[in-house]
Amino acid sequence: MTSVSTARQLLVALDPGLRECGVALFDLDSGELLAAGMPTNSERKARGLPAWARMADGVAAFVSSLLEPLRAAGGAVSVTVASECPQVYTAGKSKGDPNDLIELAGVVGRVAGALGATSERSCLPREWKGTLDGDVMVERIKSRLGERPHEHLRVQLPRASDKHHNVWDAIGIGLHVVGRLAPRKVYPR
């Protein structure tokens, strides 16, 4: 009797950026957070294809360092990339230059290619975080990780506290995809 070996299903969740990307790696079968951090782009002033490639290289290096032990153990790995989809808002709600969203889309495409993604998913900000304030959403994300306390130890936050949201957003996108972020319904007794 032969046994059929299946590839380990992993999710790489991205909060894309041209200079840094929030990245969270999840096991798709268990929904467990394996690691999270924020790789940076070595080309600080580049734009367009060169910047997308450097950012993808940074994310691929971060993820590869986590995947190597899995592959060394003899297991096949299948990678799904999930990203927040860059969205243009109406003039009253828009922040920054809408052309920057093209840069983000380019980064996501290059990252998916660099990781050899077998599938891709995207979600709009409203789909994964609704209309909650950013600080409230970070607290919800932390509370979901609190259900599995060892996951907090796997989060590598950058030194600059104003960049922490990039990592928390990547984790939130991943939690959304694995079904752990939905608001909980409270029923009166």
Side-chain angles (χ1 to χ4, degrees):
M1 181 177 213
T2 60
S3 66
V4 177
S5 175
T6 60
R8 186 165 182 188
Q9 304 289 317
L10 299 176
L11 170 71
V12 176
L14 297 175
D15 180 37
L18 190 60
R19 306 290 172 232
E20 60 266 324
C21 276
V23 178
L25 181 66
F26 285 83
D27 182 302
L28 265 174
D29 294 324
S30 67
E32 182 176 358
L33 175 67
L34 303 175
M38 191 184 79
T40 58
N41 187 338
S42 60
E43 294 286 329
R44 300 305 294 171
K45 296 187 185 221
R47 294 190 64 86
L49 289 170
W52 306 348
R54 295 300 172 273
M55 192 67 254
D57 290 345
V59 172
F62 177 80
V63 172
S64 292
S65 69
L66 303 167
L67 295 182
E68 285 309 313
L70 300 174
R71 290 186 172 133
V77 176
S78 172
V79 175
T80 295
V81 172
S83 175
E84 184 173 81
C85 185
Q87 182 177 13
V88 177
Y89 293 97
T90 59
K93 295 182 180 184
S94 183
K95 295 187 291 188
D97 184 351
N99 289 312
D100 290 344
L101 299 176
I102 296 168
E103 300 278 354
L104 297 181
V107 168
V108 172
R110 288 299 295 247
V111 167
L115 296 177
T118 54
S119 65
E120 299 86 19
R121 292 188 59 176
S122 63
C123 54
L124 295 170
R126 184 172 222 134
E127 292 172 333
W128 75 268
K129 61 183 166 185
T131 58
L132 288 180
D133 173 71
D135 293 335
V136 173
M137 181 49 75
V138 167
E139 291 308 313
R140 178 179 290 171
I141 293 165
K142 288 178 180 178
S143 75
R144 295 308 191 268
L145 293 186
E147 296 166 357
R148 302 176 186 186
H150 61 281
E151 289 179 319
H152 274 284
L153 302 174
R154 298 174 179 166
V155 177
Q156 302 168 20
L157 294 172
R159 288 185 185 190
S161 61
D162 65 332
K163 301 289 185 182
H164 290 188
H165 69 91
N166 295 319
V167 177
W168 292 119
D169 281 1
I171 295 169
I173 292 163
L175 289 171
H176 169 74
V177 170
V178 300
R180 291 178 52 197
L181 192 60
R184 302 265 163 66
K185 293 184 179 178
V186 177
Y187 297 98
R189 293 184 171 218

